[in-house]
Amino acid sequence: MGVIVQEQAGLFHLQSSGMSYLIQIVDGYPVHGYWGERLKHRETMGDLLIHTPARAGLDRLPQEYPQYGSGDFRNPAYQAELEDGTRITELKYDGYRILKGKPPLSGLPAVYTEDESEAETLELVLKDAYSGLKVVLLYSIFTARNVIIRSARLINEGDKKLRLRRALSASVDFSGHSDLEMVYLSGAWAREGNMKRRPLEQGETRIDSKRGMSSHQFNPFASLVTPETTERHGEAFGFSLVYSGGFEAGAEVDSFGSTRFSIGMNSFDFAWQLNPGESFQTPEAVMVYSAQGLGEMSRTYHRLYRTRLCRGKYRDEERPILVNNWEATYFDFNADKLVSIAEEGAKLGIELFVLDDGWFGKRDADNSSLGDWYEDRRKLPDGLADVAERINRLGLKFGLWFEPEMISPDSELYRKHPDWCLHVPGRRRSEARWQLVLDYTRQEVRDYIYDSLSAIFSTVPVAYVKWDMNRALTEIGSAALPPERQAETAHRYVLGLYELLERITTDFPHILFESCSSGGGRFDPGMLYYMPQTWTSDNTDAVERLKIQYGTSLVYPVSAIGAHVSAVPNHQVGRITPLDFRGNVAMSGNFGYELDLTKFTDDEKETVKRQVAAYKQIRGLVQQGDLYRLKSPFEGNESAWMFVSEDQRAALVYAFQVMAVPNAPQRTLRLDGLDPELEYEVEPGTGGEISIFGGDRLMQLGLPLAYEHKDYQSRWFRLRALKPGKA
């Protein structure tokens, strides 16, 4: 398995344990032959893949990296403008190379291998003889996973300047499918992760972000599925972009029923000058194939991203249970108030206290002080170190909130360096949340942020950082770039961010970093490379979180999903839900609390203590187990999911009913992922009678399920396999 080459037939067969991907060179063009379930490799395979010759028209050729201008009228994967202003290039095959393992990408986050035997990489070399443009297509296939990772490196080997106007990461033509549907995630602030599914028809179906961030509105992910595809059955072709800036992803169906899907950096307002000898690397697209529905596609992404994208000390460690003071105090706190919340947390078994916004500069509201990263001695007269040490003495670790990519016009930093924000000279500077965006294309700006944060990390025992980013990019220009490179600003911003994150996470490996962007505005694989978890949404309402967390799990592992219990009435929607219900939803992610624990009644504190103790027992399975989605909150009144250990001997089941149902029928919940040959003890999470069921019975007939006759009800169960012969 890996990459198999038949040079005479011009055939490249990328083969994993359960998948094949075929490329054939036809008249000098790399042509897509097949992507799907694994095929046996035969010497005669090339004869089966002969396509319409290129001379019959490129518009009918399913190309691997298509161009525009020579007869293909569909969306191209790239476009280059020559020095004379023309935009015609024609890439032809010029050789290949096979590498063991998977090489890193310079300056970009990327999936990695720990041993070169895990993957092989095919480099297809294409050249345009006229301009000197060379493109290297990279295909890395994981031999034990149904995963191909694609990117492109564009090199100017000519003697004149080139200007890239489009440079996507991957393009795939599906010639044998005429009835595909597209599944993707959409939403807005406080309602991220909504699963959408629509049939593809002639024309284009497109999602994108022009915001300089991956965005709340669309996630840089999509899957093509057949009409019969469900969670458990049918084919799914997943595309996920490892990038944190503006992106585009879309499917184009032509008049012959062929579908071209492409994904990469957004071409809108983008250009990149390539001088002779210079190169440009696209972000990588992670392509996953599943023959067992969307569920298996998701689990493939989860395992890959959890173990071969996330890095560092916390990649495989259980994440701490935290309490965050944001919804408890907002900006109104002092050191004693913070410590009082931590004291209650310590009594309840919580492990980490996080000080959110408002601790720096003169930050009494969200209209000032971003960029002034020094403690406010009015609120913390003895400084951050004193607060952190007092909290540490209680047995809790200390965490801190930052928004390092932003600057407030009302700040010492802005008064000193008004040119350090993204802006266009002479034009209005659009404020959002009374803040502007720092120009991360500039080294001196990144150095200032590094120095400010590292000064705190070196003197305060910070164990966790919540890295926030609360607005999109506007007036995207840089005072440090020449006119011909202004259209590079948005991408250079992202590259600058990655450079800073690499530096700071390398120098402070003991800190658990969590990404945030007003919740899920930048929940993408690029950020997971540096920060192994993300604050999923600012909406902490448990009912809304059923949808948000369910949808986010379509591509992202549970270990990346931050989920907190908050107070009621909920601060985003005003809903009042039981503490048990809120807890069970939040325990299905990286668990924590975001409220004032000192205001809880004794009964509520006992419930929290019970939740914390239970999560400590199960969090390894929640964070590292395989997720099976059982009932979709997008389809009805109930939701359910379960976590299964790798050896199938342990499982957790969570079930939720939003509104009470009068005269409800008897329910059963069909489980998934268990070993049909094993017997399982099934124990209700809140205690009660233990039952014994066979794995086959639980998956085929289901688990009996009943709710109290009230709104907002939840149940959870622990499953343990019996030793053979015990039953």
Side-chain angles (χ1 to χ4, degrees), residues 16-276:
S16 71
S17 57
M19 178 185 72
S20 286
Y21 189 98
L22 300 178
I23 305 165
Q24 190 171 24
I25 307 302
V26 176
D27 291 347
Y29 299 96
V31 169
H32 180 69
Y34 171 83
W35 183 22
E37 287 195 78
R38 183 186 178 196
L39 302 172
K40 292 182 179 179
H41 188 80
R42 296 179 173 87
E43 292 303 315
T44 57
M45 290 190 76
D47 297 336
L48 303 175
L49 298 171
I50 296 175
H51 292 273
T52 304
R55 61 180 177 274
L58 296 181
D59 212 31
R60 300 296 300 274
L61 208 60
Q63 299 170 71
E64 283 290 303
Y65 206 67
Q67 59 213 311
Y68 176 82
S70 300
D72 189 339
F73 301 99
R74 298 165 291 176
N75 283 324
Y78 79 99
Q79 187 176 39
E81 181 179 321
L82 280 58
E83 201 170 55
D84 62 7
T86 61
R87 299 163 307 286
I88 308 303
T89 57
E90 190 165 21
L91 296 173
K92 294 299 230 19
Y93 173 70
D94 193 56
Y96 74 94
R97 185 169 67 139
I98 297 175
L99 307 173
K100 292 292 185 183
K102 180 181 180 297
L105 300 185
S106 177
L108 287 166
V111 172
Y112 58 88
T113 58
E114 292 190 337
D115 187 287
E116 66 177 19
S117 64
E118 295 179 39
E120 280 193 343
T121 298
L122 169 67
E123 291 187 348
L124 284 184
V125 180
L126 314 178
K127 286 187 179 181
D128 175 47
Y130 179 80
S131 67
L133 175 64
K134 173 181 172 181
V135 176
V136 180
L137 303 181
L138 292 89
Y139 302 78
S140 294
I141 182 160
F142 280 75
T143 54
R145 309 173 192 258
N146 293 339
V147 174
I148 292 175
I149 298 176
R150 288 190 57 179
S151 67
R153 187 164 60 249
L154 297 91
I155 308 159
N156 184 358
E157 292 191 341
D159 56 5
K160 297 179 180 178
K161 296 177 184 177
L162 294 173
R163 185 176 174 85
L164 299 179
R165 296 172 52 165
R166 183 179 179 90
L168 301 186
S169 298
S171 180
V172 179
D173 285 354
F174 294 85
S175 300
H177 297 273
S178 58
D179 57 353
L180 291 171
E181 299 177 350
M182 184 164 145
V183 180
Y184 56 95
L185 301 176
S186 69
W189 175 79
R191 48 183 174 87
E192 301 89 338
N194 282 270
M195 289 180 62
K196 301 293 184 182
R197 181 167 177 166
R198 65 167 69 172
L200 300 180
E201 299 180 353
Q202 187 171 342
E204 292 189 55
T205 301
R206 173 190 169 96
I207 60 174
D208 77 348
S209 170
K210 303 179 184 71
R211 298 168 184 262
M213 55 198 284
S214 43
S215 86
H216 299 86
Q217 286 69 28
F218 294 106
N219 198 271
F221 160 82
S223 178
L224 299 189
V225 299
T226 57
E228 63 272 14
T229 298
T230 64
E231 271 291 313
R232 301 184 184 194
H233 305 290
E235 288 191 304
F237 303 86
F239 299 84
S240 174
L241 188 67
V242 185
Y243 190 60
S244 306
F247 76 94
E248 62 179 88
E252 180 182 11
V253 180
D254 68 13
S255 56
F256 304 104
S258 294
T259 299
R260 171 170 291 174
F261 186 91
S262 54
I263 188 168
M265 294 167 41
N266 203 320
S267 304
F268 174 80
D269 199 35
F270 165 81
W272 194 276
Q273 182 170 296
L274 277 183
N275 294 325

Side-chain angles (χ1 to χ4, degrees), residues 232 295-296 299 302-303 306 558 588 618-630 640-654 670-676 678 680 695 698-699 717-721:
R232 301 184 184 194
E296 186 58 29
R299 288 184 288 277
H302 297 172
R303 296 168 192 140
R306 192 174 63 237
V558 172
S588 300
I618 66 175
R619 62 180 158 189
L621 184 51
V622 171
Q623 295 168 9
Q624 304 292 330
D626 284 335
L627 173 69
Y628 290 82
R629 295 182 293 265
L630 306 177
W641 48 68
M642 63 185 292
F643 306 94
V644 182
S645 64
E646 185 177 1
D647 62 6
Q648 299 176 290
R649 299 193 63 84
L652 297 165
V653 178
Y654 284 89
R670 290 181 63 186
L671 306 188
D672 203 353
L674 302 176
D675 186 334
L678 291 178
Y680 291 88
L698 290 169
M699 292 190 289
F717 305 87
R718 298 183 68 174
L719 279 66
R720 301 180 184 88

Side-chain angles (χ1 to χ4, degrees), residues 170-461:
S171 180
V172 179
D173 285 354
F174 294 85
S175 300
H177 297 273
S178 58
D179 57 353
L180 291 171
E181 299 177 350
M182 184 164 145
V183 180
Y184 56 95
L185 301 176
S186 69
W189 175 79
R191 48 183 174 87
E192 301 89 338
N194 282 270
M195 289 180 62
K196 301 293 184 182
R197 181 167 177 166
R198 65 167 69 172
L200 300 180
E201 299 180 353
Q202 187 171 342
E204 292 189 55
T205 301
R206 173 190 169 96
I207 60 174
D208 77 348
S209 170
K210 303 179 184 71
R211 298 168 184 262
M213 55 198 284
S214 43
S215 86
H216 299 86
Q217 286 69 28
F218 294 106
N219 198 271
F221 160 82
S223 178
L224 299 189
V225 299
T226 57
E228 63 272 14
T229 298
T230 64
E231 271 291 313
R232 301 184 184 194
H233 305 290
E235 288 191 304
F237 303 86
F239 299 84
S240 174
L241 188 67
V242 185
Y243 190 60
S244 306
F247 76 94
E248 62 179 88
E252 180 182 11
V253 180
D254 68 13
S255 56
F256 304 104
S258 294
T259 299
R260 171 170 291 174
F261 186 91
S262 54
I263 188 168
M265 294 167 41
N266 203 320
S267 304
F268 174 80
D269 199 35
F270 165 81
W272 194 276
Q273 182 170 296
L274 277 183
N275 294 325
E278 292 182 341
S279 64
F280 180 86
Q281 174 65 52
T282 72
E284 61 185 28
V286 180
M287 297 164 42
V288 165
Y289 172 75
S290 167
Q292 289 85 44
L294 287 166
E296 186 58 29
M297 178 202 72
S298 296
R299 288 184 288 277
T300 300
Y301 275 118
H302 297 172
R303 296 168 192 140
L304 182 74
Y305 284 175
R306 192 174 63 237
T307 65
R308 293 296 181 269
L309 179 67
C310 296
R311 304 177 297 163
K313 168 182 167 63
Y314 290 95
R315 187 191 77 173
D316 303 319
E317 285 193 8
E318 294 180 354
R319 310 290 168 75
I321 303 169
L322 64 82
V323 59
N324 182 300
N325 76 299
W326 178 239
E327 290 192 15
T329 67
Y330 293 103
F331 296 100
D332 184 16
F333 60 82
N334 57 33
D336 289 340
K337 178 59 181 178
L338 300 175
V339 173
S340 71
I341 296 173
E343 285 174 340
E344 289 300 326
K347 296 174 187 176
L348 302 175
I350 289 172
E351 300 159 316
L352 168 67
F353 176 87
V354 179
L355 171 54
D356 211 282
D357 196 356
W359 58 266
F360 54 92
K362 297 178 180 178
R363 183 83 162 173
D364 297 323
D366 59 358
N367 60 1
S368 74
S369 300
L370 290 172
D372 298 343
W373 299 111
Y374 49 84
E375 62 258 76
D376 183 351
R377 292 281 178 160
R378 299 170 305 154
K379 297 179 182 179
L380 309 175
D382 295 313
L384 277 173
D386 171 71
V387 174
E389 288 162 6
R390 290 171 66 184
I391 288 171
N392 286 168
R393 286 197 293 271
L394 296 170
L396 278 70
K397 293 183 177 180
F398 179 71
L400 203 54
W401 177 96
F402 291 88
E403 193 171 0
E405 298 167 65
M406 300 295 150
I407 183 171
S408 301
D410 182 9
S411 68
E412 294 302 318
L413 182 63
Y414 189 79
R415 285 184 276 274
K416 185 176 181 180
H417 295 289
D419 64 321
W420 274 16
C421 66
L422 292 175
H423 69 282
V424 177
R427 308 303 295 269
R428 179 171 67 92
R429 302 182 181 191
S430 303
E431 295 181 26
R433 290 172 52 102
W434 296 279
Q435 63 194 52
L436 300 167
V437 183
L438 282 170
D439 184 356
Y440 266 36
T441 72
R442 300 173 66 164
Q443 186 68 53
E444 65 270 30
V445 173
R446 302 196 301 272
D447 287 345
Y448 168 81
I449 294 297
Y450 175 85
D451 291 343
S452 298
L453 271 58
S454 62
I456 294 173
F457 298 158
S458 300
T459 56
V460 180

